[in-house]
Amino acid sequence: MKRGNYNGKIGIYGGTFGPVHLGHIRAAHAFLDACCLDRLYILPTAIPPHKAVSQADTPEDRLQMLKLAFSEPEYADDRIIVSDYEQKRGGKSYTILTLEHFAEESDDITMLCGTDMFLTLERWYRGEDILRMAHICCLCRDDDPASMNEIEKTAAHYRDTYGTTVVLPPFSPLVISSTEIRARIAAGQSTNDVLPASVRGYIDAHGLYRA
Ligand code: ATP
């Protein structure tokens, strides 16, 4: 892709994605629509800075599952690019380094965060730089009204302190996590309701997440 002279509206959606599930996919499509993105980069981490990673898959597995999921006609969109940028860069996948990389492509970057991540953003590595550099789109992972209050307070703090544009679109989440999915697979339970068929096929073929 030609870089350096593109100035469309870019979205960044990073995560572990071990494995990608229908909650992530629903969030990606809501992000595209709510922020009218021209391009959405989905970036699986090399080493996530904030959590221990499951030993039951590899960075390559997580990348391939994302590519499969977003190739399914039901979930594909021309604007979505599954990128190996963070995995190729290696080391801890610090978000600010990713934002600085994509800033060569556009100065209009919005980052997607689930509520869990949004509330802690300021404490991330160079979190203040993240909040000055990117717009933030926060999607609620659950319907807990108490946490909505906390989110709005945090959004106001980011706006007032760093000038961050925070978008809080209405969103009806699928309440699921990769952790729960790995546990279901280890217990031999069905994941038909939470994983795309291609991802289930990949997990079966490679024997991932079994106990
Ligand atoms: P794990 O259970 O392994 O921690 P996870 O399901 O939380 O994984 P991540 O890969 O850590 O998934 O998530 C990447 C991003 O997607 C984060 O910003 C997270 O908040 C968001 N996210 C994860 N699950 C959902 C969901 N069900 N709905 C909306 N956003 C989600």
Side-chain angles (χ1 to χ4, degrees), residues 71-194:
S71 300
E72 287 195 25
E74 202 179 339
Y75 309 123
D77 188 296
D78 287 346
R79 294 166 294 175
I80 294 177
I81 301 167
V82 175
S83 167
D84 63 0
Y85 167 70
E86 289 193 346
Q87 295 192 341
K88 280 212 170 123
R89 192 177 71 216
K92 285 200 174 183
S93 297
Y94 290 119
T95 300
I96 187 65
L97 304 181
T98 303
L99 292 176
E100 285 173 346
H101 172 78
F102 285 100
E104 292 169 25
E105 209 170 288
S106 173
D107 56 12
D108 189 350
I109 301 182
T110 307
M111 185 179 128
L112 178 64
C113 267
T115 35
D116 49 342
M117 301 282 172
F118 178 75
L119 294 172
T120 62
L121 259 178
E122 205 175 16
R123 299 197 294 276
W124 290 16
Y125 173 68
R126 293 179 54 201
E128 297 187 2
D129 292 339
I130 295 174
L131 289 162
R132 287 199 175 91
M133 188 162 182
H135 317 299
I136 310 291
C137 174
C138 174
L139 295 180
C140 293
R141 289 186 64 165
D142 55 48
D143 294 323
D144 179 359
S147 75
M148 197 57 220
N149 187 28
E150 209 184 342
I151 290 159
E152 278 171 357
K153 258 172 61 186
T154 305
H157 167 64
Y158 292 163
R159 281 186 203 115
D160 296 347
T161 313
Y162 307 106
T164 320
T165 304
V166 178
V167 184
L168 293 168
F171 177 61
S172 160
L174 181 67
V175 179
I176 189 68
S177 69
S178 298
T179 303
E180 186 186 325
I181 291 170
R182 293 193 300 272
R184 280 204 211 173
I185 295 168
Q189 294 166 0
S190 169
T191 54
N192 291 358
D193 56 332
V194 285

